[in-house]
Amino acid sequence: MNEEFLKSFDGTREAGAIASGTLDELNTIIKPGVTTEKIDKVCYEYINDHGAYSAPLYYRGFPKSCCTSANHIVCHGIPQNKILRDGDILNVDVTAIKNGWHGDTSRMYLVGDVSVKAKKLIKVTYESMLKGIEILKEGSFTGDIGNAIQTHVEQQGFSVVRDFCGHGLGRKFHQSPNILHYGEEKTGEKLVAGMLFTIEPMINEGVYNTKVLSDGWTAVTKDKLLSAQFEHTVGITNNGYEIFTLSKKGLDLPESLK
Ligand code: MF3
Ligand code: CO
Ligand code: CO
C-alpha cells in the first residue's frame, strides 16, 4: 500500500476508535426507562468531546447524532422521547468524522430481560458479520462477503435484508462499492488493498421485506417481526484486513450472548 492508503487507514483508525468508544459508553446507560433521545445526547457529547463530528447529524436532513432502531425497526430509527422497556432489543448506529475521515459502526443492546428468540437473532446476526469479515483479502469479491453472510443466516432460519447494504467510505460517508449482504461467490467487485468499506448486515426474524415510515427515515420489517444489525468499518490490507471499529473494552457483543 502506498503513502496515500496508509494515511487513509490512519485516519479511519482514529475515527473508528471514536465511533466504537461511543458505543462502549452506551453500555452503562441502556436499560429499561431510558429514552432514545438520552442515548442520542450521550453520543453527541462523546463524539464532540473527542474532537470529532457526528456524520448522521443533518446528513440529508437526518435530525440526530445516531440512529436508534428498536425491535422491528430495521435501521435509521430517529432518537426521540420513546422510553425503552424491559425485553426490547436496540441497535445504535454511530458514525464519527475525525480529520475528515469516517468511522461507522453499530451494535445491538439488550434492554433488561430479552426473549430467547431475540437473543438467537442477535447472535446469528453478529456471527454472520464476522463470517463476512473473515473471508476478506485481496482477490476476494464483494459477492463472497454476501454469500458468507447469507449462507449462515439462512441455515439458522432467518432472512437477509435486501433494501440496505454496506458501503465504501473514507472522506465521504457513503461511496462505492456497495456491499450486499447476500449473493453469489465470485461476483461483484474484486477486493484490492487500500479499500475501505462497511459490513453491516440487517437480519430479520421473518421475511426480508422492509418499508419506510412516513418520517422518511425509519425502516421497519413488513411483517413487524424482529430485526437485528451489527456494523464494522474494515479495510483491505496487503495480507488480509483490518477492523477499525472493534471495542477496546470487549463490548462488541452483549455479555450474555458470548
Ligand atoms: N450509519 C448508517 C450507515 O451505516 C447511515 C445513517 S444515515 C442517517 O450507513 F442519516 F440515517 F444517519
Ligand atoms: Co454504514
Ligand atoms: Co452505520
Side-chain angles (χ1 to χ4, degrees):
M1 283 202 290
N2 63 29
E3 279 296 292
E4 198 61 19
F5 283 143
L6 293 175
K7 225 171 85 182
S8 67
F9 271 49
D10 287 345
T12 304
R13 197 173 296 120
E14 255 196 275
I18 295 169
S20 70
T22 310
L23 295 181
D24 288 350
E25 190 79 0
L26 298 177
N27 268 52
T28 53
I29 68 152
I30 297 183
K31 47 182 165 233
V34 79
T35 63
T36 50
E37 216 146 47
K38 166 74 179 172
I39 291 168
D40 181 68
K41 187 161 179 274
V42 171
C43 289
Y44 176 85
E45 283 171 1
Y46 185 95
I47 292 167
N48 281 271
D49 287 350
H50 287 77
Y53 297 95
S54 164
L57 188 59
Y58 308 135
Y59 178 77
R60 299 174 184 238
F62 192 81
K64 297 285 179 177
S65 294
C66 65
C67 300
T68 50
S69 304
N71 302 326
H72 71 299
I73 302 182
V74 174
C75 63
H76 303 163
I78 303 173
Q80 53 192 281
N81 57 5
K82 175 194 156 64
I83 296 171
L84 294 174
R85 300 176 350 160
D86 189 57
D88 285 346
I89 60 170
L90 179 74
N91 175 278
V92 182
D93 191 336
V94 163
T95 309
I97 309 175
K98 177 75 173 179
N99 298 322
W101 299 99
H102 289 74
D104 188 3
T105 185
S106 83
R107 290 181 208 154
M108 296 301 296
Y109 297 85
L110 308 180
V111 183
D113 278 327
V114 165
S115 72
V116 171
K117 78 174 181 203
K119 283 185 182 167
K120 184 185 170 198
L121 175 67
I122 292 171
K123 186 145 202 224
V124 169
T125 303
Y126 184 72
E127 289 166 352
S128 79
M129 175 182 67
L130 293 188
K131 285 182 186 292
I133 291 173
E134 278 161 11
I135 59 96
L136 298 175
K137 59 174 188 318
E138 273 211 291
S140 291
F141 289 82
T142 55
D144 299 346
I145 302 169
N147 188 259
I149 293 169
Q150 183 180 16
T151 300
H152 183 61
V153 165
E154 292 182 354
Q155 257 168 18
Q156 299 298 319
F158 298 129
S159 68
V160 178
V161 169
R162 306 318 202 234
D163 298 334
F164 302 92
C165 58
H167 49 92
L169 80 178
R171 291 198 171 277
K172 283 194 186 157
F173 192 176
H174 295 105
Q175 60 189 20
S176 72
N178 281 340
I179 306 295
L180 305 186
H181 302 112
Y182 61 96
E184 302 300 324
E185 286 179 317
K186 298 198 170 58
T187 63
E189 267 191 61
K190 209 177 218 180
L191 303 182
V192 294
M195 281 177 126
L196 296 166
F197 54 86
T198 71
I199 299 182
E200 49 179 302
M202 284 140 274
I203 306 305
N204 292 353
E205 185 189 355
V207 299
Y208 61 66
N209 311 73
T210 73
K211 66 173 187 189
V212 176
L213 300 185
S214 59
D215 62 20
W217 283 105
T218 311
V220 299
T221 56
K222 234 177 184 161
D223 58 13
K224 299 203 173 69
L225 295 180
L226 296 173
S227 187
Q229 179 179 27
F230 285 88
E231 175 175 25
H232 272 316
T233 295
V234 300
I236 304 300
T237 62
N238 290 326
N239 47 20
Y241 61 87
E242 177 171 348
I243 306 176
F244 297 104
T245 45
L246 284 172
S247 168
K248 298 203 165 40
K249 297 183 175 169
L251 302 174
D252 297 290
L253 183 68
E255 194 58 42
S256 69
L257 297 187
K258 285 177 188 162

